[in-house]
Amino acid sequence: ELKVEQNPLFLSMQEGKNYTIYCNYSTTSDRLYWYRQDPGKSLESLFVLLSNGAVKQEGRLMASLDTKARLSTLHITAAVHDLSATYFCAVDADKLIFGTGTRLQVFP
Amino acid sequence: EAQVTQNPRYLITVTGKKLTVTCSQNMNHEYMSWYRQDPGLGLRQIYYSMNVEVTDKGDVPEGYKVSRKEKRNFPLILESPSPNQTSLYFCASSLYPPFSSGANVLTFGAGSRLTVL
């Protein structure tokens, strides 16, 4: 059974700091998606990673995929309040399985 | 505007009273899916549809029904709702299924918050 684990589940960080969210999965896959959910809102696509070593960047967020380690990371650089949201990874391995989400709060 | 529209957005009902949550997309997407979101459990798939008249169970299908009579619509039916179906529901669609080749990003509806008393 495919399992997708995100760490941490909750992250409170100060503006200007850097941090990384981890997404581990239990089976072979070379496709992974990151979504963002603002409080009370729907999910929006952030990144699509389609191969081993894929790296995508958008503003202060950078996502990478290591299929051999079955690991994706979402790195936050110099966090700002607008990044406060819940972030989900979703692994595509014959079926799409979402992680439990990481709730990020950025404070001044 | 390309979008997935769900209705109702909020609903409070009582145990056993049948209800339908509608979902419509205007992007000519082949694939549609329903998820429920519960605290600490992420998103879990209820049902999905690869195309018109083709539906299949996801991970948590018990207590739900769906139909896909038209490409654009994918209603979720709760024949006899129970309190454990209190949740936030999302409909999503993509041009092709997530597990086909290429990047098949899901477009999500705004969500429907259901409370069953």
Side-chain angles (χ1 to χ4, degrees):
Chain A
E1 179 188 350
L2 172 60
K3 292 185 179 179
V4 181
E5 296 182 345
Q6 287 184 235
N7 288 289
L9 297 182
F10 181 77
L11 177 57
S12 182
M13 58 189 297
Q14 195 171 16
E15 282 189 331
K17 299 292 186 182
N18 304 331
Y19 209 82
T20 300
I21 298 171
Y22 297 89
C23 175
N24 291 88
Y25 53 97
S26 61
T27 193
T28 303
S29 175
D30 59 2
R31 282 192 296 187
L32 188 141
Y33 303 81
W34 283 96
Y35 289 86
R36 167 180 171 150
Q37 183 181 33
D38 291 318
K41 302 291 186 182
S42 186
L43 284 81
E44 295 182 344
S45 175
L46 280 176
F47 298 112
V48 180
L49 304 168
L50 296 179
S51 61
N52 184 42
V55 177
K56 294 284 183 70
Q57 183 165 4
E58 179 76 30
R60 301 174 187 274
L61 298 178
M62 183 173 71
S64 64
L65 178 61
D66 181 344
T67 59
K68 294 179 181 177
R70 300 179 182 174
L71 171 69
S72 179
T73 60
L74 181 65
H75 186 72
I76 303 153
T77 301
V80 293
H81 179 72
D82 285 351
L83 291 179
S84 297
T86 299
Y87 294 86
F88 291 93
C89 64
V91 177
D92 188 346
D94 295 330
K95 60 190 297 186
L96 190 67
I97 301 293
F98 282 83
T100 52
T102 296
R103 185 178 173 193
L104 170 66
Q105 282 189 340
V106 181
F107 59 92
Chain B
E1 180 187 356
Q3 60 185 358
V4 176
T5 303
Q6 293 179 230
N7 282 295
R9 294 288 315 282
Y10 302 92
L11 179 61
I12 300 175
T13 190
V14 295
T15 299
K17 186 176 182 181
K18 180 180 178 180
L19 68 92
T20 299
V21 186
T22 63
C23 174
S24 181
Q25 50 93 4
N26 62 1
M27 297 167 283
N28 202 35
H29 283 174
E30 301 280 340
Y31 179 84
M32 297 186 75
S33 180
W34 275 102
Y35 294 89
R36 62 178 288 173
Q37 183 178 19
D38 302 290
L41 297 177
L43 275 80
R44 294 179 293 167
Q45 190 178 49
I46 303 170
Y47 270 94
Y48 65 93
S49 170
M50 305 278 275
N51 209 328
V52 176
E53 301 293 356
V54 181
T55 64
D56 209 346
K57 297 177 180 178
D59 296 313
V60 288
E62 295 76 20
Y64 304 95
K65 288 175 59 177
V66 292
S67 67
R68 187 95 181 269
K69 297 178 181 178
E70 305 167 280
K71 196 171 190 177
R72 65 185 293 123
N73 295 322
F74 191 45
L76 179 69
I77 303 158
L78 286 73
E79 293 271 2
S80 183
S82 63
N84 64 12
Q85 292 178 297
T86 293
S87 187
L88 178 59
Y89 292 87
F90 286 102
C91 181
S93 71
S94 60
L95 184 57
Y96 299 115
F99 35 86
S100 56
S101 62
N104 294 295
V105 175
L106 289 169
T107 299
F108 283 84
S112 297
R113 186 168 292 281
L114 171 65
T115 302
V116 184
L117 302 175

